[in-house]
Structure formats: structure tokens, C-alpha cells
């Protein structure tokens, strides 16, 4: 009786699909979400909230919350009108921004400065932007709320990425701001906004 109980318990551990004499197929969990309550299993590790192979290099964390606007305007400030709209560039939605009145500048900034206590290092910022052809968007890296590094991006109606870098010293407060050529009837879409500590000004190690 005890032997049959142990055998049944072993089958339950393998999963409900297991039957006597069968071994369940391994499940590939690479890229799945993980955390304190969700482990990845043997041969994998939890890096930046995702299951990764142990030999993968740990990628830096994105300091911008709600970077893909999956939670709407939560955590963001804008001088225009922000709504979430499908499809996004990397996720299911992107931010859709229009101006409140024609000719007004539309800015988009994280509500709280995400870089409060930086290490002495390069920091990079990037965003994916889509807007009317010939218009220009600007990405600012802010230091103490003022633009310190700026990169312009000419739009062409497709998704394009803009990236900037800045060397920070301890006790400098930094953030990121986008200036968007949105009008009342001409939206600009933004997705996947990032700010991260980098090994170099080339910003090739993005989250």
C-alpha cells in the first residue's frame, strides 16, 4: 500500500498529464516572467524579471516604469493628450499623443525622475517614435530637470528609434523628456521608452 502511494505521489509531481511509464515533455520557459514566486528551473536564471540561460550576460534594468504604456498614462506627464492605442512597437499598445491646441509643444516626461542616485557612469535613453513624414522629434536627457543632452529624430511615417547618452556623476538627478511634433489632428506615437546605466556611450547594452 505504501509503495503504491509513493508511486502515485511521484506521478503527481511530474504533472497531471503524466501517466505510468510516460515522462512529460520538457517545457521551454526561456523569456518567461519570473520573480520571488516564479522560478525558472534547472539551467536557467531570473534576469531582469525574465528566465534566461545561465551563460547569458545580465542586461541592465530600465529605470522608466510603464515604459510601454500598457497601463495608459500612469506614471507620465504630458502637455498634450495621451491615450494608449494598439498596436504598439514592442507590446500590445503604444502611447498616442495629440496637442491640446494647434501650434502647442507636446512634451512627454516620466512623472518622477527615475535617476535619483546614479552611479558614476554613462546613462543612456531611447524611445521608439512614429509620426508624419518630415517632422522632427527630440529626445532630451535631463540633468536637474534641464536638458543636457539632446538628439533629434526626423520622422518618416514608420517606427524609428532615437538614442542619447550622458555621463553622470553621483548626486546628479536625471530623467528623460520627449518633445513631439504632434498636432490636434496629427498624432505621434511613442513606445518602449528606456533609461539605463550603460558600460559606454554607444548604448548597445539596452534592457
Amino acid at each position: 500500500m505504501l509503495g503504491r502511494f509513493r508511486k502515485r505521489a511521484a506521478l503527481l509531481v511530474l504533472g497531471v498529464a503524466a501517466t505510468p511509464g510516460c515522462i512529460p515533455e520538457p517545457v521551454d520557459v526561456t523569456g518567461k516572467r519570473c520573480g520571488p514566486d516564479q522560478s525558472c528551473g534547472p539551467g536557467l536564471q531570473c534576469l531582469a524579471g525574465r528566465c534566461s540561460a545561465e551563460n547569458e550576460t545580465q542586461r541592465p534594468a530600465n529605470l522608466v516604469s510603464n515604459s510601454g504604456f500598457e497601463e495608459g498614462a500612469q506614471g507620465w506627464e504630458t502637455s498634450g493628450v495621451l491615450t494608449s492605442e494598439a498596436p504598439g512597437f514592442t507590446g500590445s499598445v503604444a502611447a498616442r499623443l495629440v496637442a491640446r491646441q494647434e501650434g502647442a509643444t507636446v512634451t512627454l516626461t516620466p512623472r518622477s525622475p527615475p535617476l535619483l542616485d546614479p552611479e558614476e557612469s554613462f546613462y543612456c535613453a531611447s524611445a521608439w517614435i512614429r509620426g508624419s513624414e518630415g517632422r522632427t522629434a527630440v529626445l532630451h536627457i535631463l540633468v536637474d530637470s534641464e536638458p543636457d543632452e539632446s538628439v533629434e529624430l526626423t520622422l518618416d511615417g514608420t517606427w524609428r528609434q532615437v538614442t542619447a547618452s550622458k555621463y553622470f556623476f553621483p548626486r546628479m538627478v536625471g530623467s528623460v523628456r520627449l518633445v513631439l511634433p504632434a498636432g490636434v489632428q496629427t498624432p505621434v506615437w511613442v513606445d518602449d521608452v528606456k533609461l539605463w546605466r550603460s558600460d559606454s556611450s554607444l548604448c548597445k547594452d539596452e534592457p
Side-chain angles (χ1 to χ4, degrees):
M1 176 67 73
L2 182 58
R4 288 200 302 272
F5 175 78
R6 287 176 176 169
K7 184 176 181 180
R8 178 177 177 80
L11 291 173
L12 288 174
V13 169
L14 289 175
V16 294
T19 58
C22 296
I23 299 176
E25 290 292 327
V27 178
D28 184 6
V29 297
T30 304
K32 300 296 185 182
R33 293 188 181 277
C34 56
D37 301 323
Q38 294 172 296
S39 63
C40 297
L44 297 173
Q45 58 182 335
C46 188
L47 294 178
R50 297 285 182 178
C51 294
S52 305
E54 290 183 349
N55 58 357
E56 287 187 20
T57 303
Q58 183 168 358
R59 304 192 73 80
N62 185 5
L63 302 173
V64 177
S65 60
N66 191 25
S67 60
F69 304 94
E70 303 292 332
E71 300 174 25
Q74 182 175 324
W76 291 94
E77 290 183 353
T78 179
S79 58
V81 179
L82 187 161
T83 55
S84 290
E85 182 176 281
F89 176 76
T90 56
S92 59
V93 298
R96 179 185 185 273
L97 292 119
V98 294
R100 296 183 184 276
Q101 59 185 30
E102 209 59 60
T105 300
V106 176
T107 59
L108 180 64
T109 312
R111 183 161 293 151
S112 298
L115 187 56
L116 297 174
D117 189 18
E119 300 179 34
E120 186 172 341
S121 176
F122 283 104
Y123 281 79
C124 295
S126 71
W128 286 89
I129 304 172
R130 179 167 65 91
S132 300
E133 184 175 357
R135 296 183 174 231
T136 301
V138 183
L139 170 65
H140 295 302
I141 293 182
L142 306 180
V143 176
D144 298 327
S145 300
E146 294 297 325
D148 190 274
E149 187 68 31
S150 302
V151 176
E152 295 185 352
L153 176 70
T154 301
L155 306 178
D156 63 4
T158 67
W159 284 106
R160 300 195 64 200
Q161 187 180 34
V162 59
T163 304
S165 64
K166 165 69 181 173
Y167 197 87
F168 276 81
F169 295 93
R171 295 182 298 279
M172 291 172 67
V173 177
S175 188
V176 57
R177 176 187 297 156
L178 291 166
V179 181
L180 305 165
V184 175
Q185 301 295 329
T186 53
V188 172
W189 291 265
V190 177
D191 200 4
D192 204 19
V193 183
K194 296 176 181 178
L195 178 64
W196 73 96
R197 188 173 72 84
S198 180
D199 293 332
S200 76
S201 61
L202 300 178
C203 304
K204 294 185 179 297
D205 55 348
E206 67 177 286

